[in-house]
């Protein structure tokens, strides 16, 4: 059982984050790619939906080898997305609507086109040589070690001019920076300050667990569980190329920069098991405020598995560490594609009723699923390197209305939209009481109305073994409030027992028509149904 938070909570603890992939949210200039003005145009929608913060994926100046995750200037907006003035307008308009703005920060690697790398590769004696990871070839002339790229192939590329190899955890166009170098840290801290001075409310730090590598560059051990259908990166256990203990000092340095600007949030992208994930809160909570918890994406979608995951995560959190939950992002198949349209509604209720800060991914609120991307449309460099592992289907443009290209652009969208875009769009769903969009909005409204949901405690509820296979039951409580959440992960009806001495009212169901219903002793859950119950006397 996890206790309630005190009455003084920070905005990022009680709030909800909404991720925008800027290429795909709203295009205003007809080039088929979303832009900053497009995000500004849609801020009223985000305020209407009821989220508290918008996290924007990279829009920095970039050659776009990896769609902005190859940064050529950390303090500039790429013309594809607009100008610094457009960004300043976005910040001002978001704050006017009481929406916070979180930026993606990409410090592990720059673009090969960054001036820093141009200097670094100029000669072995260049002052910026040590800003990146350069090493001599192995005795056989090959790469210095066996490290692999996350996007397929070796993680080392040889530079003919100097004869050495440089390391890149991702594309060759994304050379890794050397965070052991204090000059790199200082330059990156200055980049953070540049955006903080413009009013940014926090950062989501890309691949934060990669920032420090083994100083001796030892070979990674082979992975005995590797299977041929998996991405090549899984051939080895990444124990020397990432998740090194020194990274906590790096994160503490970033955290200190943010703290000088008041109530800002530091979020870390971390794909690690729970026992490693929670170490990124840092000693005495000097690490990331929210080490991103992606376990719901990776756990089998079964009631028993999810219930066990929640208990394990809650038990592993350090004292004072604030939890968080994520169901989808720009790198993972969409939740509706993973669990189906019916269970996507249950997933929404799960995400927005668990203890901690939830992060929504644009389009999930309208139930976007797998959008097929024909080979000739493929954009993701990972898909080109390792077909079948690409991320394009999770990045297709937002669907706003039933007009041409679903209101996303007046041009040709950079990726296709779903075949049912004329029906699966915001305009068609926003006034439909049965739509998944309405469900998301009601869930977000309940989080504002009930502090037990936003900052209260959590306790799992025991169920008979036959029920626990399909139903996950828990309570959120605090400040005199108690809510009960029952989620049916199965496709059959289940009767769930309740305390006989209490009468409960259905606050919300994932299906329409049950709000206000009173239940006592037991409640019948329809297939794929979730409900939120409150004591009837409230």
């Amino acid at each position: 059982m996890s206790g309630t938070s005190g009455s003084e909570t920070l905005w990022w603890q009680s709030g909800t984050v909404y991720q925008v992939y800027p290429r795909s949210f709203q295009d205003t200039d007809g080039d088929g790619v979303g832009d900053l003005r497009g995000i500004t145009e849609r801020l009223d929608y985000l305020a209407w939906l009821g989220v508290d913060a918008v996290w924007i994926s990279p829009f920095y100046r970039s050659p776009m080898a990896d769609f902005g995750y190859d940064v050529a200037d950390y303090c500039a907006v790429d013309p594809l997305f607009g100008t610094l003035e457009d960004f300043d307008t976005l910040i001002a308009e978001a704050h006017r609507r009481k929406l916070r703005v979180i930026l993606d920060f990409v410090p592990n690697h720059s673009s090969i086109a960054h001036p820093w790398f141009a200097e670094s590769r100029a000669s072995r004696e260049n002052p910026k040589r040590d800003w990146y990871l350069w090493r001599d070839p192995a005795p056989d002339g090959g790469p210095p070690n066996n490290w692999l790229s996350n996007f397929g192939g070796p993680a080392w590329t040889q530079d003919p001019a100097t004869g050495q190899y440089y390391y890149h955890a991702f594309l060759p166009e994304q050379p890794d920076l050397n965070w052991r170098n204090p000059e790199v840290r200082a330059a990156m801290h200055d980049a953070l300050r540049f955006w903080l001075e413009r009013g940014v409310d926090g950062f989501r730090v890309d691949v934060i667990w990669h920032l420090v590598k083994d100083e001796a560059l030892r070979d990674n051990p082979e992975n005995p569980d590797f299977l041929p259908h998996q991405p090549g990166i899984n051939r080895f256990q990444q124990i020397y190329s990432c998740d090194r203990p020194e990274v906590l000092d790096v994160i503490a340095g970033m955290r200190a920069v943010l703290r000088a600007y008041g109530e800002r949030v530091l979020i870390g992208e971390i794909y690690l098991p729970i026992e490693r994930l929670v170490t990124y809160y840092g000693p005495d909570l000097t690490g990331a405020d929210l080490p991103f918890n992606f376990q719901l994406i990776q756990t089998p979608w079964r009631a028993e598995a999810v219930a066990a995951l929640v208990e394990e995560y809650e038990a592993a959190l350090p004292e004072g560490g604030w939890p968080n939950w994520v169901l989808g992002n720009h790198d993972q198949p969409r939740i509706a594609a993973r669990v189906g349209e019916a269970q996507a509604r249950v997933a929404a209720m799960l995400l927005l009723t668990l203890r901690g800060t939830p992060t929504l991914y644009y389009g999930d609120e309208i139930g976007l699923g797998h959008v097929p991307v024909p080979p000739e449309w493929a954009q993701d460099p990972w898909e080109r390197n390792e077909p079948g592992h690409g991320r394009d289907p999770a990045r297709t443009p937002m669907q706003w209305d039933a007009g041409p290209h679903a209101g996303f652009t007046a041009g040709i969208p950079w990726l296709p939209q779903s075949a049912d875009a004329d029906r699966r769009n915001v305009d068609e769903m926003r006034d439909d009481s049965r739509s998944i969009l309405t469900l998301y909005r009601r869930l977000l409204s309940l989080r504002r109305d009930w502090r037990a949901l936003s900052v209260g405690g959590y306790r799992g509820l025991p169920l008979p073994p036959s029920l626990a296979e399909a139903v996950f039951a828990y309570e959120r409580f605090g400040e005199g409030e108690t809510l009960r959440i029952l989620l049916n992960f199965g496709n059959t009806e289940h009767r769930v027992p309740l305390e006989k001495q209490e009468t409960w009212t259905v606050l919300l169901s994932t299906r329409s028509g049950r709000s206000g219903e009173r239940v006592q002793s037991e409640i019948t859950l329809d297939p794929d149904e979730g409900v939120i119950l409150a004591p009837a006397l409230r």
Side-chain angles (χ1 to χ4, degrees):
M1 180 172 71
S2 302
T4 61
S5 171
S7 58
E8 293 299 320
T9 55
L10 301 172
W11 65 265
W12 51 265
Q13 294 176 318
S14 61
T16 304
V17 179
Y18 182 100
Q19 182 190 357
V20 164
Y21 194 66
R23 295 181 69 92
S24 297
F25 202 57
Q26 179 66 64
D27 172 31
T28 61
D29 61 10
D31 65 357
V33 176
D35 44 49
L36 294 180
R37 290 186 181 183
I39 298 172
T40 302
E41 282 190 3
R42 296 297 184 178
L43 290 175
D44 283 340
Y45 165 74
L46 297 181
W48 170 86
L49 183 62
V51 298
D52 301 279
V54 53
W55 152 33
I56 308 173
S57 293
F59 52 78
Y60 309 108
R61 188 179 297 277
S62 166
M64 300 294 162
D66 188 25
F67 301 113
Y69 284 92
D70 50 319
V71 179
D73 187 341
Y74 286 94
C75 299
V77 173
D78 194 274
L80 182 69
F81 299 116
T83 66
L84 271 175
E85 289 73 22
D86 292 332
F87 176 78
D88 291 340
T89 299
L90 192 164
I91 281 276
E93 290 299 313
H95 287 170
R96 189 168 68 82
R97 293 165 175 81
K98 302 189 185 324
L99 290 168
R100 310 280 183 156
V101 177
I102 299 168
L103 296 194
D104 224 310
F105 189 56
V106 191
N108 178 68
H109 46 264
S110 75
S111 167
I112 202 170
H114 198 294
W116 296 345
F117 189 72
E119 288 189 52
S120 183
R121 77 187 309 179
S123 74
R124 295 192 182 200
E125 292 73 36
N126 190 279
K128 282 194 169 59
R129 187 68 168 185
D130 190 49
W131 282 43
Y132 294 83
L133 297 171
W134 293 94
R135 293 295 184 274
D136 289 329
D140 64 0
N145 62 22
N146 70 353
W147 297 358
L148 296 177
S149 164
N150 286 263
F151 286 164
W156 295 92
T157 292
Q158 191 169 31
D159 181 56
T162 61
Q164 286 190 315
Y165 284 83
Y166 67 88
Y167 175 69
H168 49 89
F170 296 91
L171 295 174
E173 294 86 355
Q174 296 170 289
D176 277 40
L177 285 149
N178 177 18
W179 273 84
R180 293 182 183 274
N181 185 325
E183 292 180 347
V184 170
R185 296 193 192 192
M188 282 301 191
H189 290 175
D190 284 345
L192 290 172
R193 294 186 186 99
F194 176 86
W195 297 104
L196 289 164
E197 293 288 343
R198 302 188 97 87
V200 165
D201 299 289
F203 296 91
R204 173 269 192 189
V205 183
D206 186 57
V207 296
I208 201 169
W209 83 108
H210 274 265
L211 294 183
V212 178
K213 288 77 174 171
D214 178 54
E215 198 162 20
L217 300 181
R218 287 171 283 184
D219 280 352
N220 282 322
E222 290 191 13
N223 176 9
D225 300 321
F226 174 69
L227 298 173
H229 70 274
Q230 294 177 332
I233 188 66
N234 291 357
R235 282 178 51 201
F236 299 100
Q237 298 173 355
Q238 310 300 306
I239 66 172
Y240 294 122
S241 51
C242 56
D243 192 28
R244 305 304 301 162
E246 301 94 326
V247 76
L248 295 178
D249 181 60
V250 168
I251 297 170
M254 292 186 192
R255 172 83 171 262
V257 171
L258 268 65
R259 285 299 178 267
Y261 288 83
E263 195 177 318
R264 304 293 193 267
V265 65
L266 184 69
I267 304 170
E269 181 194 26
I270 303 164
Y271 283 94
L272 289 173
I274 287 177
E275 67 271 14
R276 292 301 308 148
L277 169 69
V278 296
T279 65
Y280 282 75
Y281 285 97
D284 301 319
L285 301 182
T286 56
D289 294 303
L290 298 176
F292 253 158
N293 171 16
F294 298 122
Q295 302 299 317
L296 282 177
I297 296 175
Q298 301 166 328
T299 297
W301 195 252
R302 301 193 307 270
E304 282 184 310
V306 172
L309 161 66
V310 175
E311 295 293 336
E312 180 187 2
Y313 177 63
E314 285 279 2
L317 288 166
E319 182 69 28
W322 189 254
N324 70 95
W325 296 95
V326 181
L327 270 177
N329 61 34
H330 60 292
D331 289 329
Q332 304 294 331
R334 285 192 175 274
I335 182 61
R338 300 197 308 271
V339 305
E341 190 165 349
Q343 279 292 310
R345 301 173 73 94
V346 173
M349 185 168 282
L350 175 73
L351 177 69
L352 293 173
T353 58
L354 285 174
R355 188 175 82 96
T357 303
T359 296
L360 283 62
Y361 183 49
Y362 86 96
D364 282 353
E365 76 272 25
I366 59 172
L368 268 181
H370 178 79
V371 180
V373 178
E376 63 272 18
W377 279 71
Q379 305 280 344
D380 187 4
W382 190 10
E383 175 68 20
R384 293 195 293 269
N385 290 345
E386 294 187 298
H389 298 293
R391 302 160 293 177
D392 288 334
R395 301 174 174 187
T396 59
M398 184 62 172
Q399 298 171 182
W400 296 104
D401 57 44
H405 306 305
F408 166 68
T409 180
I412 304 299
W414 77 289
L415 282 173
Q417 292 163 296
S418 72
D420 62 352
D422 60 332
R423 304 183 305 280
R424 189 175 299 283
N425 63 69
V426 170
D427 274 6
E428 291 290 321
M429 299 173 115
R430 68 185 302 157
D431 295 322
D432 181 353
S433 63
R434 301 164 300 174
S435 73
I436 190 171
L437 176 59
T438 296
L439 174 65
Y440 266 95
R441 188 166 185 251
R442 288 177 176 169
L443 284 164
L444 289 163
S445 177
L446 283 179
R447 285 184 62 86
R448 292 177 184 272
D449 292 343
W450 293 77
R451 282 185 61 81
L453 275 185
S454 60
V455 295
Y458 163 90
R459 58 176 162 247
L461 297 176
L463 292 173
S466 59
L467 271 179
E469 293 179 1
V471 176
F472 179 23
Y474 52 96
E475 285 186 341
R476 301 295 312 282
F477 60 91
E479 300 186 23
E481 299 175 345
T482 299
L483 297 179
R484 181 164 292 188
I485 295 91
L486 307 172
L487 304 174
N488 185 358
F489 282 64
N491 58 7
T492 58
E493 177 182 286
H494 289 284
R495 293 183 178 182
V496 181
L498 305 168
E499 289 84 354
K500 293 183 179 179
Q501 70 272 24
E502 286 197 61
T503 301
W504 297 83
T505 299
V506 177
L507 280 184
L508 184 63
S509 167
T510 56
R511 70 172 178 82
S512 60
R514 295 198 75 170
S515 295
E517 178 184 330
R518 292 195 168 208
V519 291
Q520 193 173 28
S521 74
E522 73 173 18
I523 183 171
T524 299
L525 295 181
D526 280 351
D528 308 302
E529 184 184 18
V531 297
I532 302 175
L533 305 177
L537 295 180
R538 186 187 192 251

